[in-house]
Amino acid sequence: MNGLLIRPMVAADADRVLAIYRAGLDGGDASFETVAPTWAEFDATRSAAHRLVAVDDTGAVLGWVAVSPTSTRPVYAGVVEHSVYVDPAARGRGVARLLLDALIAATEAARIWTIQSGVFPENVASLALHARAGFRVVGVRERVGRHHGRWRDVVLLERRSAVID
């Protein structure tokens, strides 16, 4: 995309980040969550070192990616879980792929060897995006949780770094 920039997420991005998150939740196939967190909750649960936004040439935030540690145990220090969300008006324009590519580069530079995520099987666009970015399906957790009154499966994905030994 012409004029697209990936940069670190800052507190001033909070309103747009949370609005994009809400739009994803409203779509019904992005998360078990049904309400976006407050900025304080978001900020407390995502790694400050690995939060990125995609902005257009006007500075408008079009999407974001962030990670959370999967465990506090030292042996899992190189494993994170990520989320990527794109404004519905910017979908299909490569924003999520650019965000994922930037996240992969940043996490590998920080010696993180595994990025994982859980995706609803109905979210075929997200599954295709992750496959193109080098993620593989690890398995499916069947009927792992209820969402809007029905049981949902989750496809477990991971990307193992080829450069971290």
Side-chain angles (χ1 to χ4, degrees):
M1 291 177 57
N2 193 18
L4 188 66
L5 172 72
I6 306 296
R7 65 163 172 76
M9 183 186 298
V10 296
D13 298 322
D15 288 345
R16 281 294 297 144
V17 165
L18 295 178
I20 291 167
Y21 194 11
R22 275 190 296 279
L25 298 180
D26 290 347
D29 285 331
S31 173
F32 278 109
E33 300 298 329
T34 56
V35 178
T38 66
W39 179 252
E41 293 165 336
F42 183 98
D43 188 46
T45 58
R46 273 76 174 185
S47 170
H50 300 292
R51 290 188 266 195
L52 303 169
V53 293
V55 298
D56 66 13
D57 54 1
T58 70
V61 174
L62 302 179
W64 61 268
V65 66
V67 304
S68 301
T70 59
S71 175
T72 58
R73 295 177 58 196
V75 70
Y76 295 113
V79 181
V80 294
E81 183 167 353
H82 86 288
S83 297
V84 59
Y85 285 80
V86 175
D87 184 313
R91 289 185 188 148
R93 296 172 26 196
V95 175
R97 180 59 193 266
L98 289 172
L99 285 163
L100 269 183
D101 288 348
L103 178 69
I104 290 165
T107 54
E108 286 183 337
R111 310 283 303 153
I112 292 171
W113 59 83
T114 301
I115 304 170
Q116 63 185 34
S117 191
V119 176
F120 290 137
E122 297 85 359
N123 194 341
V124 294
S126 183
L127 292 171
L129 163 74
H130 284 87
R132 287 189 306 272
F135 285 75
R136 71 181 182 95
V137 173
V138 177
V140 176
R141 296 183 72 195
E142 296 176 352
R143 295 174 46 99
V144 71
R146 292 183 68 78
H147 182 247
H148 296 298
R150 68 181 176 109
W151 288 103
R152 301 290 299 264
D153 297 346
V154 173
V155 179
L156 301 177
L157 305 169
E158 75 172 13
R159 183 188 183 281
R160 300 293 303 262
S161 172
V163 299
I164 307 296
D165 53 6

Short mmCIF file of all heavy atoms in Angstrom, two decimals, residues 31-92:
data_model
loop_
_atom_site.label_atom_id
_atom_site.label_comp_id
_atom_site.label_asym_id
_atom_site.label_seq_id
_atom_site.Cartn_x
_atom_site.Cartn_y
_atom_site.Cartn_z
N SER A 31 -12.71 -13.43 18.15
CA SER A 31 -12.28 -13.72 19.51
C SER A 31 -13.45 -14.23 20.34
O SER A 31 -14.61 -13.96 20.00
CB SER A 31 -11.74 -12.43 20.16
OG SER A 31 -11.44 -12.61 21.52
N PHE A 32 -13.14 -14.91 21.42
CA PHE A 32 -14.18 -15.26 22.39
C PHE A 32 -14.63 -14.01 23.15
O PHE A 32 -15.73 -13.98 23.70
CB PHE A 32 -13.68 -16.29 23.40
CG PHE A 32 -13.75 -17.70 22.90
CD1 PHE A 32 -12.60 -18.40 22.59
CD2 PHE A 32 -14.97 -18.33 22.74
CE1 PHE A 32 -12.67 -19.70 22.13
CE2 PHE A 32 -15.06 -19.64 22.28
CZ PHE A 32 -13.89 -20.33 21.98
N GLU A 33 -13.79 -13.00 23.20
CA GLU A 33 -14.16 -11.76 23.87
C GLU A 33 -15.36 -11.15 23.14
O GLU A 33 -15.49 -11.26 21.92
CB GLU A 33 -13.01 -10.76 23.88
CG GLU A 33 -11.76 -11.25 24.59
CD GLU A 33 -11.98 -11.55 26.05
OE1 GLU A 33 -12.81 -10.89 26.69
OE2 GLU A 33 -11.31 -12.47 26.56
N THR A 34 -16.22 -10.49 23.89
CA THR A 34 -17.37 -9.83 23.27
C THR A 34 -17.34 -8.32 23.50
O THR A 34 -18.09 -7.59 22.86
CB THR A 34 -18.69 -10.40 23.81
OG1 THR A 34 -18.70 -10.28 25.23
CG2 THR A 34 -18.85 -11.87 23.42
N VAL A 35 -16.46 -7.87 24.39
CA VAL A 35 -16.32 -6.45 24.71
C VAL A 35 -14.83 -6.12 24.70
O VAL A 35 -14.03 -6.85 25.30
CB VAL A 35 -16.93 -6.13 26.09
CG1 VAL A 35 -16.73 -4.68 26.45
CG2 VAL A 35 -18.40 -6.50 26.13
N ALA A 36 -14.48 -5.05 24.04
CA ALA A 36 -13.08 -4.61 24.03
C ALA A 36 -12.68 -4.14 25.43
O ALA A 36 -13.51 -3.57 26.15
CB ALA A 36 -12.88 -3.49 23.02
N PRO A 37 -11.44 -4.35 25.80
CA PRO A 37 -10.98 -3.91 27.11
C PRO A 37 -10.82 -2.40 27.16
O PRO A 37 -10.87 -1.72 26.13
CB PRO A 37 -9.62 -4.60 27.24
CG PRO A 37 -9.12 -4.68 25.82
CD PRO A 37 -10.36 -4.94 25.00
N THR A 38 -10.59 -1.89 28.34
CA THR A 38 -10.17 -0.50 28.46
C THR A 38 -8.72 -0.41 27.99
O THR A 38 -8.04 -1.44 27.88
CB THR A 38 -10.25 -0.02 29.92
OG1 THR A 38 -9.29 -0.75 30.68
CG2 THR A 38 -11.65 -0.18 30.50
N TRP A 39 -8.24 0.79 27.77
CA TRP A 39 -6.84 0.93 27.38
C TRP A 39 -5.93 0.43 28.50
O TRP A 39 -4.92 -0.24 28.24
CB TRP A 39 -6.49 2.37 27.00
CG TRP A 39 -5.04 2.47 26.64
CD1 TRP A 39 -4.05 3.06 27.36
CD2 TRP A 39 -4.41 1.91 25.48
NE1 TRP A 39 -2.83 2.91 26.72
CE2 TRP A 39 -3.04 2.20 25.57
CE3 TRP A 39 -4.87 1.19 24.39
CZ2 TRP A 39 -2.12 1.80 24.59
CZ3 TRP A 39 -3.95 0.79 23.41
CH2 TRP A 39 -2.61 1.10 23.53
N ALA A 40 -6.28 0.70 29.74
CA ALA A 40 -5.45 0.23 30.86
C ALA A 40 -5.35 -1.29 30.86
O ALA A 40 -4.27 -1.85 31.09
CB ALA A 40 -6.00 0.74 32.19
N GLU A 41 -6.46 -1.98 30.61
CA GLU A 41 -6.45 -3.45 30.54
C GLU A 41 -5.63 -3.93 29.34
O GLU A 41 -4.83 -4.86 29.47
CB GLU A 41 -7.88 -3.99 30.46
CG GLU A 41 -8.69 -3.76 31.71
CD GLU A 41 -10.18 -3.95 31.50
OE1 GLU A 41 -10.68 -3.83 30.36
OE2 GLU A 41 -10.86 -4.21 32.52
N PHE A 42 -5.83 -3.31 28.21
CA PHE A 42 -5.08 -3.67 27.00
C PHE A 42 -3.59 -3.49 27.25
O PHE A 42 -2.78 -4.38 26.99
CB PHE A 42 -5.54 -2.79 25.83
CG PHE A 42 -4.89 -3.12 24.51
CD1 PHE A 42 -5.55 -3.92 23.59
CD2 PHE A 42 -3.65 -2.60 24.18
CE1 PHE A 42 -4.96 -4.22 22.36
CE2 PHE A 42 -3.05 -2.89 22.96
CZ PHE A 42 -3.71 -3.70 22.05
N ASP A 43 -3.23 -2.33 27.77
CA ASP A 43 -1.84 -1.98 28.02
C ASP A 43 -1.18 -2.95 29.00
O ASP A 43 -0.02 -3.32 28.84
CB ASP A 43 -1.78 -0.55 28.54
CG ASP A 43 -0.37 -0.01 28.65
OD1 ASP A 43 0.42 -0.18 27.70
OD2 ASP A 43 -0.05 0.58 29.70
N ALA A 44 -1.91 -3.39 30.00
CA ALA A 44 -1.36 -4.26 31.04
C ALA A 44 -1.15 -5.69 30.56
O ALA A 44 -0.35 -6.42 31.16
CB ALA A 44 -2.27 -4.25 32.26
N THR A 45 -1.83 -6.10 29.50
CA THR A 45 -1.77 -7.50 29.08
C THR A 45 -1.01 -7.74 27.79
O THR A 45 -0.85 -8.89 27.39
CB THR A 45 -3.19 -8.08 28.94
OG1 THR A 45 -3.93 -7.30 28.01
CG2 THR A 45 -3.90 -8.11 30.29
N ARG A 46 -0.52 -6.71 27.14
CA ARG A 46 0.27 -6.86 25.91
C ARG A 46 1.68 -6.35 26.13
O ARG A 46 1.88 -5.34 26.78
CB ARG A 46 -0.36 -6.08 24.74
CG ARG A 46 -1.43 -6.82 23.95
CD ARG A 46 -2.66 -6.87 24.65
NE ARG A 46 -3.79 -7.45 23.90
CZ ARG A 46 -4.98 -7.45 24.41
NH1 ARG A 46 -5.22 -6.91 25.59
NH2 ARG A 46 -5.98 -8.02 23.76
N SER A 47 2.62 -7.06 25.57
CA SER A 47 4.02 -6.69 25.70
C SER A 47 4.28 -5.34 25.04
O SER A 47 4.04 -5.17 23.84
CB SER A 47 4.90 -7.76 25.05
OG SER A 47 6.23 -7.32 24.96
N ALA A 48 4.79 -4.40 25.81
CA ALA A 48 5.07 -3.06 25.27
C ALA A 48 6.12 -3.11 24.16
O ALA A 48 6.12 -2.26 23.27
CB ALA A 48 5.52 -2.13 26.39
N ALA A 49 6.98 -4.09 24.19
CA ALA A 49 8.06 -4.19 23.20
C ALA A 49 7.57 -4.68 21.83
O ALA A 49 8.28 -4.51 20.84
CB ALA A 49 9.14 -5.13 23.72
N HIS A 50 6.39 -5.26 21.77
CA HIS A 50 5.93 -5.85 20.51
C HIS A 50 4.48 -5.50 20.24
O HIS A 50 3.61 -6.37 20.13
CB HIS A 50 6.14 -7.36 20.53
CG HIS A 50 7.57 -7.73 20.71
ND1 HIS A 50 8.53 -7.49 19.75
CD2 HIS A 50 8.21 -8.26 21.76
CE1 HIS A 50 9.69 -7.88 20.20
NE2 HIS A 50 9.53 -8.35 21.41
N ARG A 51 4.22 -4.19 20.12
CA ARG A 51 2.91 -3.67 19.73
C ARG A 51 3.15 -2.72 18.57
O ARG A 51 3.89 -1.75 18.71
CB ARG A 51 2.27 -2.88 20.87
CG ARG A 51 1.84 -3.74 22.03
CD ARG A 51 1.05 -2.90 22.98
NE ARG A 51 1.90 -2.38 24.03
CZ ARG A 51 1.46 -1.86 25.16
NH1 ARG A 51 0.16 -1.76 25.38
NH2 ARG A 51 2.29 -1.42 26.06
N LEU A 52 2.52 -3.01 17.46
CA LEU A 52 2.74 -2.21 16.27
C LEU A 52 1.41 -1.77 15.68
O LEU A 52 0.40 -2.47 15.83
CB LEU A 52 3.50 -3.02 15.21
CG LEU A 52 4.84 -3.60 15.64
CD1 LEU A 52 5.34 -4.60 14.61
CD2 LEU A 52 5.85 -2.49 15.86
N VAL A 53 1.42 -0.64 15.00
CA VAL A 53 0.26 -0.18 14.24
C VAL A 53 0.67 0.09 12.80
O VAL A 53 1.83 0.41 12.52
CB VAL A 53 -0.39 1.10 14.85
CG1 VAL A 53 -1.01 0.80 16.20
CG2 VAL A 53 0.61 2.23 14.94
N ALA A 54 -0.30 -0.04 11.92
CA ALA A 54 -0.13 0.36 10.52
C ALA A 54 -0.88 1.67 10.35
O ALA A 54 -2.06 1.76 10.74
CB ALA A 54 -0.70 -0.70 9.59
N VAL A 55 -0.21 2.67 9.82
CA VAL A 55 -0.84 3.97 9.59
C VAL A 55 -0.70 4.34 8.12
O VAL A 55 0.26 3.98 7.45
CB VAL A 55 -0.25 5.08 10.49
CG1 VAL A 55 -0.48 4.77 11.96
CG2 VAL A 55 1.23 5.28 10.23
N ASP A 56 -1.71 5.08 7.63
CA ASP A 56 -1.65 5.53 6.24
C ASP A 56 -0.90 6.86 6.18
O ASP A 56 -0.40 7.36 7.18
CB ASP A 56 -3.04 5.59 5.61
CG ASP A 56 -3.94 6.65 6.23
OD1 ASP A 56 -3.46 7.53 6.98
OD2 ASP A 56 -5.16 6.59 5.95
N ASP A 57 -0.86 7.44 4.99
CA ASP A 57 -0.08 8.68 4.82
C ASP A 57 -0.69 9.88 5.53
O ASP A 57 -0.06 10.91 5.65
CB ASP A 57 0.15 8.97 3.34
CG ASP A 57 -1.11 9.00 2.51
OD1 ASP A 57 -2.21 8.82 3.08
OD2 ASP A 57 -1.00 9.20 1.30
N THR A 58 -1.91 9.74 6.05
CA THR A 58 -2.50 10.81 6.85
C THR A 58 -2.26 10.61 8.34
O THR A 58 -2.64 11.44 9.16
CB THR A 58 -4.03 10.92 6.62
OG1 THR A 58 -4.67 9.78 7.21
CG2 THR A 58 -4.36 11.02 5.14
N GLY A 59 -1.68 9.45 8.69
CA GLY A 59 -1.45 9.12 10.09
C GLY A 59 -2.56 8.32 10.73
O GLY A 59 -2.49 7.98 11.91
N ALA A 60 -3.60 7.99 9.97
CA ALA A 60 -4.73 7.22 10.51
C ALA A 60 -4.31 5.77 10.75
O ALA A 60 -3.71 5.14 9.88
CB ALA A 60 -5.91 7.26 9.56
N VAL A 61 -4.64 5.25 11.91
CA VAL A 61 -4.34 3.86 12.24
C VAL A 61 -5.31 2.95 11.49
O VAL A 61 -6.54 3.09 11.62
CB VAL A 61 -4.43 3.62 13.76
CG1 VAL A 61 -4.26 2.15 14.10
CG2 VAL A 61 -3.39 4.46 14.51
N LEU A 62 -4.76 2.02 10.69
CA LEU A 62 -5.56 1.10 9.90
C LEU A 62 -5.62 -0.30 10.52
O LEU A 62 -6.51 -1.09 10.17
CB LEU A 62 -5.00 0.97 8.49
CG LEU A 62 -4.88 2.26 7.69
CD1 LEU A 62 -4.28 1.97 6.32
CD2 LEU A 62 -6.23 2.93 7.57
N GLY A 63 -4.67 -0.61 11.39
CA GLY A 63 -4.64 -1.93 12.00
C GLY A 63 -3.55 -2.00 13.05
O GLY A 63 -2.74 -1.08 13.18
N TRP A 64 -3.57 -3.11 13.79
CA TRP A 64 -2.57 -3.28 14.85
C TRP A 64 -2.27 -4.75 15.06
O TRP A 64 -3.04 -5.63 14.70
CB TRP A 64 -3.03 -2.63 16.15
CG TRP A 64 -4.30 -3.16 16.73
CD1 TRP A 64 -5.57 -2.70 16.50
CD2 TRP A 64 -4.46 -4.26 17.63
NE1 TRP A 64 -6.49 -3.43 17.21
CE2 TRP A 64 -5.84 -4.41 17.92
CE3 TRP A 64 -3.57 -5.15 18.25
CZ2 TRP A 64 -6.33 -5.38 18.77
CZ3 TRP A 64 -4.06 -6.13 19.10
CH2 TRP A 64 -5.43 -6.24 19.35
N VAL A 65 -1.11 -5.00 15.64
CA VAL A 65 -0.70 -6.34 16.05
C VAL A 65 -0.02 -6.19 17.41
O VAL A 65 0.67 -5.20 17.66
CB VAL A 65 0.23 -7.00 15.00
CG1 VAL A 65 1.56 -6.28 14.87
CG2 VAL A 65 0.45 -8.47 15.29
N ALA A 66 -0.23 -7.17 18.28
CA ALA A 66 0.37 -7.13 19.61
C ALA A 66 0.56 -8.55 20.11
O ALA A 66 -0.14 -9.48 19.66
CB ALA A 66 -0.51 -6.34 20.58
N VAL A 67 1.48 -8.72 21.04
CA VAL A 67 1.72 -10.04 21.63
C VAL A 67 1.57 -9.99 23.14
O VAL A 67 1.70 -8.94 23.76
CB VAL A 67 3.12 -10.60 21.27
CG1 VAL A 67 3.33 -10.65 19.77
CG2 VAL A 67 4.23 -9.83 21.95
N SER A 68 1.30 -11.18 23.67
CA SER A 68 1.28 -11.39 25.11
C SER A 68 2.14 -12.61 25.39
O SER A 68 2.18 -13.55 24.58
CB SER A 68 -0.15 -11.69 25.60
OG SER A 68 -1.01 -10.64 25.29
N PRO A 69 2.81 -12.62 26.53
CA PRO A 69 3.57 -13.84 26.86
C PRO A 69 2.61 -15.00 27.10
O PRO A 69 1.49 -14.80 27.58
CB PRO A 69 4.32 -13.46 28.15
CG PRO A 69 3.65 -12.23 28.66
CD PRO A 69 2.90 -11.59 27.54
N THR A 70 3.04 -16.21 26.76
CA THR A 70 2.18 -17.37 26.99
C THR A 70 2.36 -17.94 28.38
O THR A 70 1.50 -18.68 28.86
CB THR A 70 2.46 -18.48 25.97
OG1 THR A 70 3.82 -18.87 26.08
CG2 THR A 70 2.17 -18.02 24.56
N SER A 71 3.45 -17.59 29.03
CA SER A 71 3.75 -18.11 30.36
C SER A 71 4.77 -17.20 31.03
O SER A 71 5.53 -16.51 30.36
CB SER A 71 4.33 -19.52 30.25
OG SER A 71 4.73 -20.01 31.52
N THR A 72 4.78 -17.21 32.35
CA THR A 72 5.80 -16.47 33.10
C THR A 72 7.03 -17.34 33.38
O THR A 72 8.02 -16.83 33.88
CB THR A 72 5.24 -15.96 34.43
OG1 THR A 72 4.75 -17.08 35.19
CG2 THR A 72 4.11 -14.96 34.20
N ARG A 73 6.95 -18.62 33.04
CA ARG A 73 8.09 -19.52 33.27
C ARG A 73 9.22 -19.16 32.32
O ARG A 73 9.00 -18.95 31.12
CB ARG A 73 7.66 -20.96 33.06
CG ARG A 73 6.63 -21.41 34.11
CD ARG A 73 6.14 -22.79 33.88
NE ARG A 73 7.24 -23.75 33.87
CZ ARG A 73 7.14 -24.98 33.39
NH1 ARG A 73 5.99 -25.40 32.88
NH2 ARG A 73 8.16 -25.80 33.42
N PRO A 74 10.45 -19.08 32.82
CA PRO A 74 11.60 -18.69 31.99
C PRO A 74 11.79 -19.54 30.73
O PRO A 74 12.19 -19.02 29.69
CB PRO A 74 12.79 -18.82 32.93
CG PRO A 74 12.21 -18.66 34.30
CD PRO A 74 10.83 -19.26 34.23
N VAL A 75 11.47 -20.82 30.79
CA VAL A 75 11.66 -21.69 29.63
C VAL A 75 10.80 -21.25 28.44
O VAL A 75 11.13 -21.52 27.30
CB VAL A 75 11.40 -23.17 30.01
CG1 VAL A 75 9.93 -23.42 30.28
CG2 VAL A 75 11.92 -24.10 28.93
N TYR A 76 9.70 -20.55 28.71
CA TYR A 76 8.80 -20.09 27.65
C TYR A 76 9.01 -18.62 27.28
O TYR A 76 8.16 -18.02 26.61
CB TYR A 76 7.34 -20.32 28.04
CG TYR A 76 6.99 -21.78 28.17
CD1 TYR A 76 6.68 -22.32 29.41
CD2 TYR A 76 6.97 -22.61 27.06
CE1 TYR A 76 6.35 -23.67 29.54
CE2 TYR A 76 6.65 -23.96 27.18
CZ TYR A 76 6.34 -24.48 28.42
OH TYR A 76 6.03 -25.80 28.53
N ALA A 77 10.13 -18.06 27.67
CA ALA A 77 10.40 -16.64 27.38
C ALA A 77 10.40 -16.33 25.88
O ALA A 77 10.17 -15.20 25.49
CB ALA A 77 11.71 -16.21 28.02
N GLY A 78 10.65 -17.32 25.07
CA GLY A 78 10.69 -17.12 23.62
C GLY A 78 9.42 -17.51 22.90
O GLY A 78 9.42 -17.72 21.69
N VAL A 79 8.31 -17.58 23.64
CA VAL A 79 7.03 -17.97 23.05
C VAL A 79 6.00 -16.89 23.40
O VAL A 79 5.83 -16.55 24.57
CB VAL A 79 6.55 -19.34 23.58
CG1 VAL A 79 5.23 -19.73 22.92
CG2 VAL A 79 7.62 -20.40 23.36
N VAL A 80 5.33 -16.38 22.37
CA VAL A 80 4.30 -15.36 22.58
C VAL A 80 3.04 -15.73 21.81
O VAL A 80 3.08 -16.50 20.85
CB VAL A 80 4.77 -13.96 22.14
CG1 VAL A 80 5.92 -13.46 23.02
CG2 VAL A 80 5.15 -13.93 20.67
N GLU A 81 1.92 -15.16 22.26
CA GLU A 81 0.66 -15.30 21.54
C GLU A 81 0.34 -13.93 20.95
O GLU A 81 0.53 -12.91 21.61
CB GLU A 81 -0.45 -15.75 22.48
CG GLU A 81 -1.75 -15.97 21.76
CD GLU A 81 -2.78 -16.71 22.61
OE1 GLU A 81 -2.45 -17.17 23.70
OE2 GLU A 81 -3.92 -16.80 22.14
N HIS A 82 -0.11 -13.91 19.72
CA HIS A 82 -0.38 -12.62 19.08
C HIS A 82 -1.83 -12.48 18.65
O HIS A 82 -2.57 -13.46 18.52
CB HIS A 82 0.53 -12.43 17.87
CG HIS A 82 -0.03 -13.03 16.62
ND1 HIS A 82 -0.10 -14.38 16.41
CD2 HIS A 82 -0.59 -12.46 15.53
CE1 HIS A 82 -0.66 -14.62 15.24
NE2 HIS A 82 -0.98 -13.47 14.69
N SER A 83 -2.20 -11.22 18.43
CA SER A 83 -3.48 -10.85 17.83
C SER A 83 -3.19 -9.81 16.77
O SER A 83 -2.32 -8.96 16.94
CB SER A 83 -4.42 -10.22 18.87
OG SER A 83 -4.74 -11.12 19.89
N VAL A 84 -3.93 -9.88 15.67
CA VAL A 84 -3.82 -8.88 14.62
C VAL A 84 -5.23 -8.49 14.19
O VAL A 84 -6.08 -9.36 13.97
CB VAL A 84 -2.95 -9.38 13.43
CG1 VAL A 84 -3.52 -10.63 12.79
CG2 VAL A 84 -2.73 -8.29 12.39
N TYR A 85 -5.48 -7.19 14.13
CA TYR A 85 -6.80 -6.66 13.77
C TYR A 85 -6.62 -5.54 12.75
O TYR A 85 -5.70 -4.73 12.87
CB TYR A 85 -7.52 -6.11 15.00
CG TYR A 85 -8.06 -7.18 15.90
CD1 TYR A 85 -7.24 -7.85 16.80
CD2 TYR A 85 -9.41 -7.54 15.85
CE1 TYR A 85 -7.74 -8.85 17.63
CE2 TYR A 85 -9.91 -8.54 16.67
CZ TYR A 85 -9.08 -9.18 17.56
OH TYR A 85 -9.57 -10.17 18.36
N VAL A 86 -7.54 -5.48 11.79
CA VAL A 86 -7.50 -4.45 10.75
C VAL A 86 -8.87 -3.79 10.67
O VAL A 86 -9.91 -4.46 10.75
CB VAL A 86 -7.11 -5.07 9.39
CG1 VAL A 86 -7.20 -4.04 8.27
CG2 VAL A 86 -5.70 -5.66 9.47
N ASP A 87 -8.87 -2.48 10.50
CA ASP A 87 -10.11 -1.72 10.31
C ASP A 87 -10.87 -2.35 9.14
O ASP A 87 -10.27 -2.61 8.08
CB ASP A 87 -9.76 -0.26 9.99
CG ASP A 87 -10.98 0.62 9.87
OD1 ASP A 87 -11.95 0.25 9.19
OD2 ASP A 87 -10.95 1.71 10.46
N PRO A 88 -12.17 -2.60 9.30
CA PRO A 88 -12.93 -3.22 8.20
C PRO A 88 -12.78 -2.47 6.87
O PRO A 88 -12.76 -3.10 5.81
CB PRO A 88 -14.38 -3.17 8.70
CG PRO A 88 -14.25 -3.19 10.19
CD PRO A 88 -13.00 -2.40 10.50
N ALA A 89 -12.65 -1.15 6.90
CA ALA A 89 -12.51 -0.38 5.66
C ALA A 89 -11.16 -0.59 4.98
O ALA A 89 -11.00 -0.27 3.81
CB ALA A 89 -12.72 1.10 5.95
N ALA A 90 -10.18 -1.15 5.70
CA ALA A 90 -8.84 -1.35 5.14
C ALA A 90 -8.55 -2.82 4.84
O ALA A 90 -7.44 -3.15 4.40
CB ALA A 90 -7.80 -0.79 6.10
N ARG A 91 -9.50 -3.70 5.08
CA ARG A 91 -9.26 -5.13 4.84
C ARG A 91 -9.06 -5.43 3.36
O ARG A 91 -9.60 -4.74 2.51
CB ARG A 91 -10.41 -5.96 5.40
CG ARG A 91 -10.41 -5.95 6.91
CD ARG A 91 -11.47 -6.86 7.48
NE ARG A 91 -11.54 -6.66 8.93
CZ ARG A 91 -12.62 -6.79 9.64
NH1 ARG A 91 -13.76 -7.13 9.07
NH2 ARG A 91 -12.60 -6.58 10.94
N GLY A 92 -8.26 -6.46 3.11
CA GLY A 92 -8.00 -6.88 1.73
C GLY A 92 -6.95 -6.05 1.03
O GLY A 92 -6.73 -6.22 -0.17
#
